Amino acid sequence: MPGGRRVAAVTDARFDVAPGECLALIGESGCGKSVLASALLGLLPGNAQTAGSALLGDLDLLTAGERTLARTVRGRLIGLVPQSPAAHLTPVRTVRSQLVETVAALTATRGRAALRAAAEAAAERAAFPADHLDRHPHQLSGGLAQRAATALALVGGAPLLLADEPTTGLDRDLVDRTVDELRRHVDAPGDGRRRALLMITHDLAAAERIADRVAVMYAGRIVELADATAFFGSSGPRHPYSRGLLRALPDRAFAPVPGMPPELGDLPAGCAFAARCDRATDLCAGPPPTGAVACHHPHVPEDTRA
């Protein structure tokens, strides 16, 4: 950062995603979700540093070179639905030509007619209208650009799909159709293997619709990792911040989480959520415990308490 400052955008992120599973990563804007996604694909700025490991099979994504990432990982092993799809589409090429090129690069399809048909099928999977295929990115709305990016990401049948806010700009019906298609991508076997999905989203309704597990990120750290059924069910999440996110939904209490998140460059030594938490005590001045719930005073479900 300017002046030589450093910011720990993501710290101690520990999780796995199994074949056939959808893990939804949720949290407020600026908490580090998209930075994490960029790190997995080697797309961080040149002045960023990473530590630890991120294993995809036997390949460590954090130490892989650009040649490996470009030729082996992106598109082939990891499909990406980007957060800003319009910025990732080639501005001087039509959507059709970009789909045809992607199909030719990532599949065994050959021949002009076959490539054209495969491109149209990919567009249909993402609910991209056929009569817009010959348009350029600047002629698309935000929702159409999102659908075009989703179509491109699904082409290669990658074993891991990383979807960063895949429902941005879509109305509710299209949100449901898009996440259902992502779920089908996970459940349908590719080359005899099931696929995995890491979905970064603010849309908790979309997460509830398709996720198997939920990871909640706050101030650069994963503060809770939970089964989706329990997380969205009657017992609810255990971390106070996670419970606050659900309470803020219009169909629940519609009550905002009080206060503002801390600056990543000025995090407290203890729990970063303590200043906003009605359960905080002096104990929260120290680092929270490690494990599925990073909290000194997690909520305990009634059946467990009994």
Side-chain angles (χ1 to χ4, degrees):
M1 300 290 287
R5 292 191 308 118
R6 303 197 67 82
V7 170
V10 178
T11 304
D12 293 334
R14 302 173 186 271
F15 62 91
D16 58 8
V17 188
E21 180 183 37
C22 170
L23 176 65
L25 181 60
I26 66 175
E28 290 172 285
S29 296
C31 69
K33 304 185 302 297
S34 294
V35 172
L36 176 60
S38 296
L40 296 178
L41 286 165
L43 298 176
L44 290 172
N47 64 341
Q49 295 181 358
T50 58
S53 63
L55 298 178
L56 182 61
D58 296 327
L59 176 65
D60 189 343
L61 299 172
L62 299 187
T63 59
E66 174 59 27
R67 182 183 180 91
T68 298
L69 291 169
R71 297 193 175 190
T72 304
V73 175
R74 299 180 193 132
R76 292 172 172 83
L77 293 179
I78 302 179
L80 173 66
V81 181
Q83 184 179 32
S84 303
H88 285 74
L89 297 171
T90 304
V92 296
R93 302 274 300 280
T94 64
V95 175
R96 185 191 302 276
S97 68
Q98 294 182 60
L99 277 169
V100 167
E101 180 183 48
T102 303
V103 170
L106 300 183
T107 74
T109 305
R110 294 294 179 266
R112 180 176 296 181
L115 287 171
R116 185 181 179 92
E120 292 173 354
E124 185 177 0
R125 286 182 66 189
F128 188 89
D131 58 356
H132 285 57
L133 280 169
D134 293 312
R135 296 188 179 186
H136 291 80
H138 73 273
Q139 297 173 302
L140 305 178
S141 66
L144 284 174
Q146 185 70 59
R147 282 180 267 171
T150 301
L152 288 164
L154 294 175
V155 165
L160 173 62
L161 185 63
L162 204 168
D164 192 354
E165 298 291 353
T167 59
T168 299
L170 305 182
D171 60 36
R172 196 72 246 167
D173 288 342
L174 281 174
V175 167
D176 292 345
R177 175 168 176 173
T178 298
V179 297
D180 287 349
E181 186 58 49
L182 295 179
R183 184 75 233 191
R184 280 190 288 272
H185 177 85
V186 171
D187 293 335
D191 298 326
R193 299 173 298 174
R194 301 176 78 189
R195 307 182 182 104
L197 169 63
L198 175 59
M199 184 173 75
I200 296 170
T201 184
H202 289 103
D203 191 335
L204 298 186
E208 182 178 9
R209 188 176 180 91
I210 69 166
D212 298 295
R213 289 188 299 149
V214 177
V216 182
M217 182 170 275
Y218 183 77
R221 294 177 181 268
I222 293 178
V223 297
E224 183 166 6
L225 189 60
D227 176 81
T229 301
F231 187 91
F232 292 108
S234 57
S235 59
R238 298 188 61 201
H239 196 284
Y241 172 65
S242 306
R243 297 180 77 87
L245 286 180
L246 289 189
R247 282 178 51 81
L249 294 176
D251 59 346
R252 301 212 180 194
F254 205 28
V257 180
M260 296 292 291
E263 294 289 336
L264 292 179
D266 189 28
L267 293 176
C271 175
F273 186 63
R276 308 173 70 184
C277 182
D278 60 4
R279 299 170 70 90
T281 66
D282 292 344
L283 191 61
C284 302
T290 59
V293 186
C295 180
H296 290 290
H297 307 291
H299 288 260
V300 179
E302 292 294 334
D303 54 350
T304 303
R305 189 180 295 121

